[in-house]
mmCIF file of all heavy atoms in Angstrom:
data_model
loop_
_atom_site.group_PDB
_atom_site.id
_atom_site.type_symbol
_atom_site.label_atom_id
_atom_site.label_comp_id
_atom_site.label_asym_id
_atom_site.label_seq_id
_atom_site.Cartn_x
_atom_site.Cartn_y
_atom_site.Cartn_z
ATOM 1 N N MET A 27 20.183 14.388 -4.513
ATOM 2 C CA MET A 27 19.630 13.980 -3.173
ATOM 3 C C MET A 27 20.400 12.844 -2.627
ATOM 4 O O MET A 27 20.612 11.833 -3.306
ATOM 5 C CB MET A 27 18.107 13.627 -3.400
ATOM 6 C CG MET A 27 17.460 13.088 -2.112
ATOM 7 S SD MET A 27 15.706 12.759 -2.253
ATOM 8 C CE MET A 27 15.321 12.164 -0.668
ATOM 9 N N PRO A 28 20.883 12.887 -1.427
ATOM 10 C CA PRO A 28 21.664 11.787 -0.806
ATOM 11 C C PRO A 28 20.776 10.504 -0.758
ATOM 12 O O PRO A 28 19.587 10.582 -0.691
ATOM 13 C CB PRO A 28 21.962 12.272 0.557
ATOM 14 C CG PRO A 28 21.758 13.723 0.557
ATOM 15 C CD PRO A 28 20.742 14.026 -0.538
ATOM 16 N N GLU A 29 21.466 9.394 -0.861
ATOM 17 C CA GLU A 29 20.838 8.108 -0.628
ATOM 18 C C GLU A 29 20.094 7.939 0.711
ATOM 19 O O GLU A 29 20.687 8.335 1.700
ATOM 20 C CB GLU A 29 21.899 6.958 -0.830
ATOM 21 C CG GLU A 29 21.190 5.595 -0.921
ATOM 22 C CD GLU A 29 22.176 4.523 -1.042
ATOM 23 O OE1 GLU A 29 23.390 4.814 -1.414
ATOM 24 O OE2 GLU A 29 21.830 3.381 -0.927
ATOM 25 N N ARG A 30 18.878 7.440 0.632
ATOM 26 C CA ARG A 30 18.140 7.209 1.809
ATOM 27 C C ARG A 30 18.745 6.161 2.690
ATOM 28 O O ARG A 30 19.045 5.130 2.181
ATOM 29 C CB ARG A 30 16.690 7.047 1.576
ATOM 30 C CG ARG A 30 15.904 8.364 1.229
ATOM 31 C CD ARG A 30 14.477 7.936 0.718
ATOM 32 N NE ARG A 30 13.711 7.404 1.888
ATOM 33 C CZ ARG A 30 13.161 8.079 2.791
ATOM 34 N NH1 ARG A 30 13.211 9.393 2.859
ATOM 35 N NH2 ARG A 30 12.347 7.485 3.668
ATOM 36 N N ILE A 31 18.833 6.359 4.083
ATOM 37 C CA ILE A 31 19.308 5.323 4.947
ATOM 38 C C ILE A 31 18.090 4.432 5.349
ATOM 39 O O ILE A 31 16.918 4.724 5.144
ATOM 40 C CB ILE A 31 19.966 5.984 6.101
ATOM 41 C CG1 ILE A 31 19.008 6.833 6.931
ATOM 42 C CG2 ILE A 31 21.154 6.863 5.756
ATOM 43 C CD1 ILE A 31 19.560 7.358 8.272
ATOM 44 N N TYR A 32 18.454 3.506 6.130
ATOM 45 C CA TYR A 32 17.446 2.594 6.674
ATOM 46 C C TYR A 32 16.976 3.111 8.127
ATOM 47 O O TYR A 32 17.836 3.136 9.065
ATOM 48 C CB TYR A 32 17.922 1.173 6.804
ATOM 49 C CG TYR A 32 18.177 0.582 5.467
ATOM 50 C CD1 TYR A 32 19.387 0.322 4.983
ATOM 51 C CD2 TYR A 32 17.041 0.344 4.613
ATOM 52 C CE1 TYR A 32 19.584 -0.121 3.657
ATOM 53 C CE2 TYR A 32 17.265 -0.224 3.346
ATOM 54 C CZ TYR A 32 18.621 -0.425 2.887
ATOM 55 O OH TYR A 32 18.699 -0.950 1.608
ATOM 56 N N ASN A 33 15.782 3.506 8.228
ATOM 57 C CA ASN A 33 15.335 4.145 9.419
ATOM 58 C C ASN A 33 14.608 3.176 10.360
ATOM 59 O O ASN A 33 13.389 2.727 9.959
ATOM 60 C CB ASN A 33 14.329 5.335 9.016
ATOM 61 C CG ASN A 33 13.697 5.993 10.188
ATOM 62 O OD1 ASN A 33 14.143 5.794 11.388
ATOM 63 N ND2 ASN A 33 12.712 6.852 9.914
ATOM 64 N N PHE A 34 15.209 2.756 11.431
ATOM 65 C CA PHE A 34 14.633 1.775 12.323
ATOM 66 C C PHE A 34 13.928 2.532 13.513
ATOM 67 O O PHE A 34 13.621 1.813 14.503
ATOM 68 C CB PHE A 34 15.670 0.810 12.820
ATOM 69 C CG PHE A 34 16.175 -0.168 11.825
ATOM 70 C CD1 PHE A 34 17.350 0.116 11.075
ATOM 71 C CD2 PHE A 34 15.528 -1.384 11.621
ATOM 72 C CE1 PHE A 34 17.815 -0.757 10.167
ATOM 73 C CE2 PHE A 34 15.938 -2.227 10.790
ATOM 74 C CZ PHE A 34 17.185 -1.927 9.961
ATOM 75 N N SER A 35 13.643 3.771 13.427
ATOM 76 C CA SER A 35 13.112 4.497 14.517
ATOM 77 C C SER A 35 11.703 4.002 14.925
ATOM 78 O O SER A 35 10.945 3.696 14.081
ATOM 79 C CB SER A 35 13.004 5.991 14.157
ATOM 80 O OG SER A 35 12.371 6.707 15.154
ATOM 81 N N ALA A 36 11.474 4.089 16.303
ATOM 82 C CA ALA A 36 10.140 3.613 16.764
ATOM 83 C C ALA A 36 8.969 4.607 16.417
ATOM 84 O O ALA A 36 7.832 4.251 16.632
ATOM 85 C CB ALA A 36 10.269 3.300 18.172
ATOM 86 N N GLY A 37 9.326 5.799 16.180
ATOM 87 C CA GLY A 37 8.295 6.784 15.778
ATOM 88 C C GLY A 37 8.694 8.168 16.361
ATOM 89 O O GLY A 37 9.074 8.248 17.420
ATOM 90 N N PRO A 38 8.446 9.168 15.511
ATOM 91 C CA PRO A 38 7.936 9.109 14.077
ATOM 92 C C PRO A 38 8.871 8.181 13.267
ATOM 93 O O PRO A 38 9.995 8.090 13.452
ATOM 94 C CB PRO A 38 8.066 10.565 13.608
ATOM 95 C CG PRO A 38 7.820 11.343 14.827
ATOM 96 C CD PRO A 38 8.566 10.590 15.924
ATOM 97 N N ALA A 39 8.270 7.423 12.359
ATOM 98 C CA ALA A 39 8.961 6.339 11.685
ATOM 99 C C ALA A 39 8.920 6.446 10.193
ATOM 100 O O ALA A 39 8.431 7.341 9.679
ATOM 101 C CB ALA A 39 8.244 5.011 12.173
ATOM 102 N N VAL A 40 9.567 5.430 9.583
ATOM 103 C CA VAL A 40 9.645 5.373 8.125
ATOM 104 C C VAL A 40 8.308 5.450 7.425
ATOM 105 O O VAL A 40 7.403 4.829 7.942
ATOM 106 C CB VAL A 40 10.470 4.097 7.699
ATOM 107 C CG1 VAL A 40 9.613 2.843 8.154
ATOM 108 C CG2 VAL A 40 10.677 4.099 6.261
ATOM 109 N N LEU A 41 8.323 6.159 6.370
ATOM 110 C CA LEU A 41 7.049 6.198 5.552
ATOM 111 C C LEU A 41 7.402 5.759 4.185
ATOM 112 O O LEU A 41 8.581 5.894 3.712
ATOM 113 C CB LEU A 41 6.485 7.699 5.444
ATOM 114 C CG LEU A 41 5.885 8.199 6.737
ATOM 115 C CD1 LEU A 41 5.658 9.664 6.650
ATOM 116 C CD2 LEU A 41 4.624 7.408 7.105
ATOM 117 N N PRO A 42 6.456 5.336 3.357
ATOM 118 C CA PRO A 42 6.723 4.936 1.983
ATOM 119 C C PRO A 42 7.341 6.170 1.190
ATOM 120 O O PRO A 42 6.870 7.258 1.234
ATOM 121 C CB PRO A 42 5.324 4.587 1.427
ATOM 122 C CG PRO A 42 4.542 4.259 2.619
ATOM 123 C CD PRO A 42 5.033 5.202 3.659
ATOM 124 N N GLU A 43 8.438 5.875 0.426
ATOM 125 C CA GLU A 43 9.143 6.880 -0.247
ATOM 126 C C GLU A 43 8.150 7.586 -1.268
ATOM 127 O O GLU A 43 8.270 8.785 -1.513
ATOM 128 C CB GLU A 43 10.297 6.330 -0.906
ATOM 129 C CG GLU A 43 11.230 7.415 -1.502
ATOM 130 C CD GLU A 43 12.570 6.924 -1.972
ATOM 131 O OE1 GLU A 43 12.942 5.785 -1.643
ATOM 132 O OE2 GLU A 43 13.251 7.686 -2.741
ATOM 133 N N GLN A 44 7.312 6.780 -1.972
ATOM 134 C CA GLN A 44 6.453 7.404 -2.970
ATOM 135 C C GLN A 44 5.467 8.333 -2.254
ATOM 136 O O GLN A 44 5.112 9.356 -2.951
ATOM 137 C CB GLN A 44 5.654 6.318 -3.759
ATOM 138 C CG GLN A 44 4.620 5.521 -2.933
ATOM 139 C CD GLN A 44 4.124 4.401 -3.797
ATOM 140 O OE1 GLN A 44 4.762 3.459 -4.066
ATOM 141 N NE2 GLN A 44 2.769 4.450 -4.053
ATOM 142 N N VAL A 45 5.101 8.101 -1.081
ATOM 143 C CA VAL A 45 4.225 8.963 -0.344
ATOM 144 C C VAL A 45 4.947 10.312 -0.080
ATOM 145 O O VAL A 45 4.414 11.404 -0.287
ATOM 146 C CB VAL A 45 3.636 8.358 0.979
ATOM 147 C CG1 VAL A 45 2.895 9.379 1.781
ATOM 148 C CG2 VAL A 45 2.710 7.162 0.623
ATOM 149 N N LEU A 46 6.183 10.180 0.306
ATOM 150 C CA LEU A 46 6.913 11.418 0.741
ATOM 151 C C LEU A 46 7.196 12.312 -0.602
ATOM 152 O O LEU A 46 7.090 13.487 -0.497
ATOM 153 C CB LEU A 46 8.305 10.982 1.296
ATOM 154 C CG LEU A 46 8.296 10.315 2.663
ATOM 155 C CD1 LEU A 46 9.667 9.834 2.992
ATOM 156 C CD2 LEU A 46 7.634 11.178 3.703
ATOM 157 N N ARG A 47 7.459 11.646 -1.633
ATOM 158 C CA ARG A 47 7.736 12.358 -2.932
ATOM 159 C C ARG A 47 6.532 13.071 -3.394
ATOM 160 O O ARG A 47 6.511 14.223 -3.847
ATOM 161 C CB ARG A 47 8.352 11.465 -3.920
ATOM 162 C CG ARG A 47 9.632 10.966 -3.621
ATOM 163 C CD ARG A 47 10.331 10.155 -4.805
ATOM 164 N NE ARG A 47 11.616 9.577 -4.502
ATOM 165 C CZ ARG A 47 12.712 10.403 -4.452
ATOM 166 N NH1 ARG A 47 12.725 11.605 -4.887
ATOM 167 N NH2 ARG A 47 13.899 9.860 -4.188
ATOM 168 N N GLN A 48 5.295 12.457 -3.327
ATOM 169 C CA GLN A 48 4.124 13.047 -3.727
ATOM 170 C C GLN A 48 3.693 14.178 -2.751
ATOM 171 O O GLN A 48 3.175 15.264 -3.213
ATOM 172 C CB GLN A 48 2.955 12.006 -3.756
ATOM 173 C CG GLN A 48 1.608 12.640 -4.342
ATOM 174 C CD GLN A 48 1.747 13.077 -5.767
ATOM 175 O OE1 GLN A 48 2.289 12.280 -6.591
ATOM 176 N NE2 GLN A 48 1.301 14.300 -6.044
ATOM 177 N N ALA A 49 3.934 13.986 -1.466
ATOM 178 C CA ALA A 49 3.650 15.073 -0.543
ATOM 179 C C ALA A 49 4.493 16.223 -0.701
ATOM 180 O O ALA A 49 4.069 17.407 -0.524
ATOM 181 C CB ALA A 49 3.842 14.444 0.975
ATOM 182 N N ALA A 50 5.800 16.046 -1.185
ATOM 183 C CA ALA A 50 6.662 17.162 -1.404
ATOM 184 C C ALA A 50 6.090 18.012 -2.579
ATOM 185 O O ALA A 50 6.171 19.269 -2.473
ATOM 186 C CB ALA A 50 8.088 16.658 -1.711
ATOM 187 N N ILE A 51 5.472 17.423 -3.441
ATOM 188 C CA ILE A 51 4.851 18.105 -4.585
ATOM 189 C C ILE A 51 3.672 18.851 -4.195
ATOM 190 O O ILE A 51 3.415 20.080 -4.446
ATOM 191 C CB ILE A 51 4.569 17.162 -5.763
ATOM 192 C CG1 ILE A 51 5.809 16.562 -6.310
ATOM 193 C CG2 ILE A 51 3.658 17.916 -6.867
ATOM 194 C CD1 ILE A 51 5.510 15.475 -7.309
ATOM 195 N N ASP A 52 2.786 18.179 -3.411
ATOM 196 C CA ASP A 52 1.447 18.644 -3.081
ATOM 197 C C ASP A 52 1.494 19.750 -1.990
ATOM 198 O O ASP A 52 0.530 20.554 -1.842
ATOM 199 C CB ASP A 52 0.509 17.500 -2.514
ATOM 200 C CG ASP A 52 0.135 16.634 -3.738
ATOM 201 O OD1 ASP A 52 0.237 17.048 -4.830
ATOM 202 O OD2 ASP A 52 -0.310 15.461 -3.439
ATOM 203 N N ILE A 53 2.660 19.770 -1.200
ATOM 204 C CA ILE A 53 2.781 20.880 -0.232
ATOM 205 C C ILE A 53 3.031 22.207 -1.051
ATOM 206 O O ILE A 53 2.596 23.283 -0.555
ATOM 207 C CB ILE A 53 4.060 20.597 0.683
ATOM 208 C CG1 ILE A 53 3.769 19.564 1.725
ATOM 209 C CG2 ILE A 53 4.646 21.860 1.298
ATOM 210 C CD1 ILE A 53 4.940 19.267 2.558
ATOM 211 N N VAL A 54 3.570 22.175 -2.209
ATOM 212 C CA VAL A 54 3.815 23.433 -2.997
ATOM 213 C C VAL A 54 2.678 23.701 -3.903
ATOM 214 O O VAL A 54 2.274 24.775 -3.966
ATOM 215 C CB VAL A 54 5.188 23.229 -3.776
ATOM 216 C CG1 VAL A 54 5.433 24.504 -4.640
ATOM 217 C CG2 VAL A 54 6.314 22.957 -2.805
ATOM 218 N N ASN A 55 2.158 22.710 -4.580
ATOM 219 C CA ASN A 55 1.135 22.944 -5.624
ATOM 220 C C ASN A 55 0.260 21.691 -5.706
ATOM 221 O O ASN A 55 0.429 20.718 -6.372
ATOM 222 C CB ASN A 55 1.783 23.174 -6.972
ATOM 223 C CG ASN A 55 0.754 23.693 -7.954
ATOM 224 O OD1 ASN A 55 -0.488 23.845 -7.640
ATOM 225 N ND2 ASN A 55 1.212 23.792 -9.219
ATOM 226 N N PHE A 56 -0.862 21.782 -4.947
ATOM 227 C CA PHE A 56 -1.814 20.638 -4.817
ATOM 228 C C PHE A 56 -2.692 20.662 -6.034
ATOM 229 O O PHE A 56 -3.507 21.555 -6.168
ATOM 230 C CB PHE A 56 -2.588 20.722 -3.480
ATOM 231 C CG PHE A 56 -3.585 19.512 -3.335
ATOM 232 C CD1 PHE A 56 -3.014 18.374 -3.053
ATOM 233 C CD2 PHE A 56 -4.917 19.745 -3.296
ATOM 234 C CE1 PHE A 56 -3.900 17.212 -2.759
ATOM 235 C CE2 PHE A 56 -5.817 18.802 -2.986
ATOM 236 C CZ PHE A 56 -5.324 17.453 -2.865
ATOM 237 N N GLN A 57 -2.708 19.535 -6.775
ATOM 238 C CA GLN A 57 -3.521 19.295 -7.881
ATOM 239 C C GLN A 57 -3.545 20.537 -8.831
ATOM 240 O O GLN A 57 -4.713 20.952 -9.420
ATOM 241 C CB GLN A 57 -4.967 18.921 -7.444
ATOM 242 C CG GLN A 57 -5.111 17.699 -6.616
ATOM 243 C CD GLN A 57 -6.507 17.352 -6.099
ATOM 244 O OE1 GLN A 57 -7.384 18.193 -6.211
ATOM 245 N NE2 GLN A 57 -6.646 16.187 -5.630
ATOM 246 N N ASN A 58 -2.389 21.139 -9.000
ATOM 247 C CA ASN A 58 -2.246 22.321 -9.904
ATOM 248 C C ASN A 58 -3.196 23.433 -9.617
ATOM 249 O O ASN A 58 -3.698 24.190 -10.547
ATOM 250 C CB ASN A 58 -2.453 21.852 -11.343
ATOM 251 C CG ASN A 58 -1.345 20.913 -11.876
ATOM 252 O OD1 ASN A 58 -0.281 21.252 -11.652
ATOM 253 N ND2 ASN A 58 -1.722 19.951 -12.605
ATOM 254 N N LYS A 59 -3.493 23.580 -8.217
ATOM 255 C CA LYS A 59 -4.352 24.639 -7.775
ATOM 256 C C LYS A 59 -3.621 26.054 -7.646
ATOM 257 O O LYS A 59 -4.160 27.116 -7.446
ATOM 258 C CB LYS A 59 -5.048 24.297 -6.504
ATOM 259 C CG LYS A 59 -5.997 23.103 -6.586
ATOM 260 C CD LYS A 59 -7.183 23.383 -7.544
ATOM 261 C CE LYS A 59 -8.050 22.123 -7.559
ATOM 262 N NZ LYS A 59 -9.167 22.285 -8.493
ATOM 263 N N GLY A 60 -2.325 25.974 -7.730
ATOM 264 C CA GLY A 60 -1.528 27.213 -7.574
ATOM 265 C C GLY A 60 -1.199 27.501 -6.202
ATOM 266 O O GLY A 60 -0.750 28.509 -5.766
ATOM 267 N N MET A 61 -1.493 26.556 -5.293
ATOM 268 C CA MET A 61 -1.206 26.780 -3.798
ATOM 269 C C MET A 61 -1.003 25.399 -3.204
ATOM 270 O O MET A 61 -1.525 24.356 -3.759
ATOM 271 C CB MET A 61 -2.180 27.572 -3.079
ATOM 272 C CG MET A 61 -3.615 26.992 -3.070
ATOM 273 S SD MET A 61 -4.687 27.962 -2.030
ATOM 274 C CE MET A 61 -6.310 27.259 -2.489
ATOM 275 N N GLY A 62 -0.448 25.290 -2.143
ATOM 276 C CA GLY A 62 -0.065 23.972 -1.474
ATOM 277 C C GLY A 62 -1.166 23.545 -0.581
ATOM 278 O O GLY A 62 -2.058 24.290 -0.154
#
Side-chain angles (χ1 to χ4, degrees):
M27 180 178 177
E29 183 179 350
R30 284 174 61 81
I31 64 174
Y32 293 110
N33 176 13
F34 289 93
S35 174
V40 61
L41 289 170
E43 188 171 348
Q44 69 186 64
V45 170
L46 295 174
R47 293 187 181 278
Q48 185 61 51
I51 295 170
D52 290 340
I53 282 177
V54 178
N55 187 6
F56 182 66
Q57 297 180 351
N58 291 318
K59 298 296 180 183
M61 61 177 169

